[in-house]
C-alpha cells in the first residue's frame, strides 16, 4: 500500500503458479485505501487457482471519489479464481481473457462509478459473474462473451450472469449463455435493473426449473430484443418476468 498516486502501472508477461503448502489469497492485490490507482494495464498474465478462496485480481479502497481501480484494463490473460472488484471506479475494461476455476467474478462500484466493459471473454467460473453497486446509466456493456457452466457450477443467485443491481440503462449483447452439463441455473438474472437492453444473445437453457432470463420484482422497463433461443418455448422459461414495464 502506497500513499503516493499509482498512475500508469503495467503488469505484463508473467505467471504465478502455486507449488505446495498454503497458496496466497490474491494473485494481484490493488489496494487503493491510501491513494489513487489509475491508468493501469494487466496483460498476458497467467495466475493459477490460489486455493478455494483465492482470486486472481482483488481490488479495494475508495481512493476518495475515484474508486479502485480507475481507467484500468485487464486483457489477454488466464484468470483462475475470478476477479473481485469491491470499489470499481470509472472506465474499466476486461476483455479477451480466459476466466475459470472455483470462484465468482464480483464487480461492485463506488457511487458515481461509470463505464465498465466486459467483452470477448470465455467465462466458466463455478460461481458465475455478478454486478452490483451504484452503476451509472448507459455505462455497463457486457458483449460478445462466452459463458459456460462446468460440473459443480452454483452461480450467483443461481445464475450465470447476475445483474444484482442497481444497474441503469446498460446493455447485454452478442453473448452466448451455454448452461450445460445438466446444470440447473438461469442464464441471466435482472434484479434491481432499469432500462437494460438484452439483444442478439444465444441462450441454451439449463435443466429442470431454469430460465433463460429471470427478471425479479425489482426490475423495470428493461427491453428484451431479438435473441436466439436454443430451447424455445414455453415463453415463461425464455423470459420469466416478475417485474414491471419490461418488454419482451
Amino acid at each position: 500500500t502506497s500513499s503516493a498516486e499509482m498512475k500508469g502501472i503495467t503488469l505484463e508477461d508473467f505467471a504465478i503458479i502455486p507449488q505446495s503448502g498454503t497458496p496466497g489469497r490474491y494473485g494481484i492485490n490493488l489496494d487503493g485505501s491510501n491513494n489513487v490507482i489509475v491508468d493501469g494495464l494487466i496483460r498476458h498474465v497467467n495466475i493459477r487457482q490460489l486455493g478455494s478462496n483465492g482470486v486472481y485480481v482483488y481490488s479495494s479502497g475508495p481512493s476518495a471519489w475515484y474508486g479502485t481501480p480507475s481507467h484500468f484494463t485487464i486483457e489477454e490473460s488466464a484468470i483462475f479464481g475470478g476477479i473481485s472488484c469491491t470499489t470499481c471506479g470509472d472506465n474499466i475494461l476486461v476483455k479477451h481473457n480466459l476466466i475459470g476455476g472455483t470462484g465468482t467474478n464480483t464487480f461492485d462500484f463506488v457511487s458515481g462509478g461509470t463505464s465498465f466493459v466486459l467483452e470477448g471473454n470465455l467465462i466458466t467460473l463455478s460461481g458465475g459473474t455478478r454486478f452490483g453497486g451504484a452503476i451509472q446509466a448507459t455505462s455497463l456493456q457486457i458483449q460478445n462473451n462466452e459463458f459456460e457452466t462446468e460440473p459443480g457450477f452454483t452461480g450467483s443467485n443461481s445464475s450465470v450472469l447476475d445483474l444484482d443491481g442497481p444497474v441503469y440503462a446498460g446493455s447485454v449483447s452478442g453473448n452466448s449463455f451455454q448452461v450445460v452439463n445438466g446444470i440447473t441455473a438461469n442464464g441471466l438474472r435482472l434484479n434491481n435493473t432499469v432500462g437494460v437492453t438484452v439483444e442478439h444473445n444465444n441462450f441454451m437453457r439449463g435443466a429442470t426449473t431454469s430460465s433463460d432470463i429471470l427478471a425479479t420484482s425489482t426490475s423495470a422497463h428493461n427491453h428484451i430484443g431479438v435473441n436466439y433461443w436454443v430451447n424455445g418455448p414455453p415463453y415463461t422459461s425464455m423470459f420469466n418476468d416478475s417485474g414491471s414495464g419490461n418488454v419482451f
Side-chain angles (χ1 to χ4, degrees):
T1 301
S2 172
S3 59
E5 179 178 306
M6 300 289 288
K7 186 172 183 179
I9 184 171
T10 296
L11 302 174
E12 189 172 21
D13 297 321
F14 65 89
I16 297 178
I17 304 175
Q19 295 297 313
S20 61
T22 302
R25 181 178 297 177
Y26 309 125
I28 298 172
N29 184 5
L30 304 175
D31 185 349
S33 56
N34 289 334
N35 214 311
V36 176
I37 299 176
V38 64
D39 293 334
L41 171 66
I42 297 174
R43 181 170 59 194
H44 301 162
V45 174
N46 179 359
I47 298 182
R48 302 293 178 85
Q49 188 78 46
L50 301 172
S52 60
N53 296 317
V55 294
Y56 167 83
V57 178
Y58 178 81
S59 65
S60 64
S63 297
W65 60 89
Y66 285 102
T68 301
S70 294
H71 304 274
F72 210 94
T73 297
I74 302 173
E75 67 179 2
E76 299 172 8
S77 295
I79 302 170
F80 292 90
I83 300 170
S84 178
C85 186
T86 62
T87 51
C88 287
D90 297 337
N91 297 310
I92 308 297
L93 175 59
V94 179
K95 67 175 184 177
H96 303 159
N97 301 286
L98 167 62
I99 309 176
T102 302
T104 303
N105 283 328
T106 303
F107 302 105
D108 291 282
F109 296 77
V110 295
S111 180
T114 64
S115 298
F116 188 106
V117 178
L118 184 71
E119 178 181 359
N121 302 281
L122 171 58
I123 302 175
T124 61
L125 275 171
S126 65
T129 297
R130 174 193 170 273
F131 285 87
I135 304 172
Q136 292 289 312
T138 69
S139 62
L140 178 61
Q141 300 177 51
I142 302 172
Q143 56 196 29
N144 303 324
N145 301 282
E146 175 85 7
F147 296 96
E148 295 182 2
T149 57
E150 295 189 345
F153 179 88
T154 55
S156 173
N157 291 302
S158 301
S159 301
V160 175
L161 176 60
D162 183 16
L163 302 191
D164 203 22
V167 176
Y168 303 106
S171 67
V172 180
S173 64
N175 304 282
S176 181
F177 295 88
Q178 303 297 313
V179 186
V180 294
N181 293 309
I183 301 298
T184 299
N186 306 304
L188 170 63
R189 177 175 178 261
L190 302 174
N191 180 67
N192 198 8
T193 61
V194 178
V196 172
T197 297
V198 181
E199 61 185 0
H200 308 310
N201 301 285
N202 183 317
F203 288 97
M204 177 175 285
R205 189 173 309 142
T208 61
T209 57
S210 300
S211 299
D212 296 323
I213 302 173
L214 173 67
T216 73
S217 60
T218 59
S219 67
H221 305 292
N222 300 288
H223 179 258
I224 312 303
V226 176
N227 295 276
Y228 180 63
W229 315 86
V230 174
N231 300 89
Y235 293 109
T236 54
S237 295
M238 297 165 68
F239 184 44
N240 186 350
D241 182 20
S242 298
S244 58
N246 295 317
V247 176
F248 180 43

